[in-house]
Amino acid sequence: MQTVLVAGGAGFIGSHLCKSLLDDNYKVICIDNLITGEIKNLRDLEKNKNFRFINQDLIQLKNLSINKIDYIFHLASPASPSQKSPRSYIKFPVETLLVNSQGTYNLLELGRKHRACFLFASSSEVYGDPTVSPQDETYFGNVNPNGVRSVYDEGKRYGEAVTMAYVRKYNLDARIVRIFNTYGPKMRPDDGRVVSNFINQALKGDEITVYGDGTQTRSICFVDDMIKGLKIVMFSDKSRGEVINLGNPDERTILDLAHLIKKMTNSNSEITFEELPEDDPKTRKPDITKARKLLDWKPEVSIENGLEKTIEYFKRP
Ligand code: UDP
């Protein structure tokens, strides 16, 4: 049986990934310091004899008593940009920089020791506020190097650089995925992200808060599609040393998304407009040609179907 280490496995995407890997019959070791992840995301997994949880900070990764690691997914990082959320990377700026730099280095060293395959979860944020759309992997981005979002953007850019250094210098079997906006069950209601905010506001009859005039765009990917993509990238030899965008290219304006969620929840909420956060990207849309051609991956869940499942999740007590 092969062993997979999931760093950040108690988070939204990480916990879905742990479950999916257990279903595929891998032994799964989840490392998380619960800074933004939640133990309740792992509740169903803890009964599984092939699952182990280690509460540890990757910045000071101590000796782990693990005999063999075959694969390492590095998804550990605060990820929400919301200034209003207690969980955002803006509240944990230094931790965010360090988990993506020192934390990535520590995991790469672990990968080297175990001759493991490695996947670094980067982000569409490396493109910053893009001047081209859609964004393909060859675009270098337009990032403010010291603005409020820089701790995440530059953290991810450093994480990519150090991962590629291990590919070139040590021939590590590593790959990088740039994750675009992803949503679905197990998002934190207090995360401050657009989908979780709008659904919860609509269900409660609160104001649906559009930041700016709502003409900025995002392309949102349902979590099940993202998990399939992450596994395909990890378990394929073709992705060795590659950088690959994963996301759903179905681009919508934030105002359209507000109207869609209001309609799908039959909500009477009013749509209101608030100040646009600093450095909020104006557009974001992945070019996924590379993932499609190289790995035959593309998202299959429509926005409407994905939102329906997410709304059901948030309706549950
Ligand atoms: N947004 C919004 N209202 C909210 C939360 C977010 O209008 O209550 C906007 C935000 O300004 C951004 C987009 O929705 O333009 C996506 O924000 P999110 O925090 O989900 O992720 P980002 O793509 O900015 O990392």
Side-chain angles (χ1 to χ4, degrees):
M1 193 176 234
Q2 292 190 300
T3 301
V4 186
L5 188 144
V6 181
F12 159 51
I13 298 181
S15 58
H16 281 277
L17 180 64
C18 288
K19 174 165 188 334
S20 178
L21 291 165
L22 287 167
D23 290 345
D24 292 345
N25 243 345
Y26 288 99
K27 210 171 157 174
V28 176
I29 300 169
C30 162
I31 300 188
D32 205 301
N33 67 349
L34 304 176
I35 187 172
T36 54
E38 289 184 295
I39 203 76
K40 76 168 198 240
N41 286 338
L42 305 173
R43 209 172 277 152
D44 300 341
L45 313 185
E46 282 176 322
K47 295 172 230 133
N48 191 316
K49 66 176 184 353
N50 292 325
F51 182 74
R52 181 176 158 202
F53 173 67
I54 302 174
N55 186 337
Q56 200 182 122
D57 191 340
L58 295 173
I59 299 166
Q60 290 140 354
L61 194 61
K62 307 205 186 73
N63 277 339
L64 301 166
S65 57
I66 304 174
N67 295 336
K68 176 180 84 105
I69 303 171
D70 299 289
Y71 298 95
I72 299 175
F73 284 90
H74 177 14
L75 286 91
S77 176
S80 170
S82 171
Q83 316 234 10
K84 293 181 184 161
S85 164
R87 304 281 156 198
S88 84
Y89 58 67
I90 296 189
K91 299 268 158 58
F92 298 107
V94 179
E95 291 86 344
T96 301
L97 280 162
L98 287 177
V99 77
N100 284 293
S101 52
Q102 183 69 34
T104 307
Y105 163 77
N106 288 340
L107 283 176
L108 285 163
E109 278 295 308
L110 190 69
R112 219 179 122 204
K113 186 171 137 205
H114 285 264
R115 296 176 186 279
C117 295
F118 189 93
L119 183 149
F120 178 62
S122 183
S123 166
S124 54
E125 280 286 322
V126 299
Y127 300 124
D129 188 7
T131 54
V132 299
S133 191
Q135 298 84 50
D136 74 19
E137 293 86 349
T138 62
Y139 178 52
F140 292 168
N142 177 36
V143 172
N144 176 348
N146 49 43
V148 283
R149 291 175 89 113
S150 64
V151 295
Y152 189 71
D153 303 9
E154 296 295 359
K156 289 296 177 194
R157 289 170 75 98
Y158 178 93
E160 290 200 10
V162 70
T163 301
M164 287 312 289
Y166 272 69
V167 169
R168 295 188 184 110
K169 172 106 182 160
Y170 301 115
N171 202 22
L172 189 76
D173 187 347
R175 66 274 290 128
I176 294 166
V177 166
R178 293 186 180 144
I179 298 178
F180 282 67
N181 295 65
T182 301
Y183 71 98
K186 292 193 183 170
M187 290 185 96
R188 293 183 70 121
D190 65 352
D191 200 31
R193 309 305 287 259
V194 66
V195 173
S196 43
N197 269 11
F198 285 0
I199 294 179
N200 284 293
Q201 290 164 342
L203 290 176
K204 287 190 205 139
D206 293 348
E207 291 176 349
I208 298 178
T209 55
V210 169
Y211 302 156
D213 61 6
T215 56
Q216 73 271 33
T217 67
R218 293 294 186 275
S219 312
I220 59 173
C221 181
F222 189 61
V223 65
D224 290 3
D225 282 327
M226 184 54 61
I227 299 302
K228 281 186 199 157
L230 288 169
K231 290 196 301 181
I232 290 171
V233 175
M234 176 63 109
F235 299 128
S236 167
D237 275 345
K238 291 186 206 155
S239 60
R240 192 177 172 143
E242 298 290 339
V243 179
I244 298 170
N245 282 344
L246 291 181
N248 189 332
D250 185 350
E251 184 182 25
R252 310 276 174 119
T253 68
I254 293 304
L255 188 58
D256 283 348
L257 204 57
H259 283 293
L260 179 61
I261 289 173
K262 181 175 154 132
K263 190 169 137 224
M264 289 182 69
T265 48
N266 293 316
S267 173
N268 294 322
S269 289
E270 199 187 326
I271 295 176
T272 57
F273 296 87
E274 294 190 2
E275 202 183 329
L276 189 69
E278 206 177 312
D279 289 335
D280 197 285
K282 184 82 189 122
T283 51
R284 190 178 290 146
K285 174 180 176 168
D287 182 327
I288 56 163
T289 311
K290 186 168 176 181
R292 246 191 317 111
K293 289 200 173 147
L294 192 69
L295 305 165
D296 200 21
W297 174 88
K298 65 170 170 25
E300 276 152 15
V301 182
S302 68
I303 290 197
E304 287 73 12
N305 286 345
L307 283 178
E308 207 172 290
K309 290 188 177 134
T310 313
I311 290 166
E312 279 315 306
Y313 169 79
F314 280 119
K315 269 188 188 165
R316 273 185 246 143

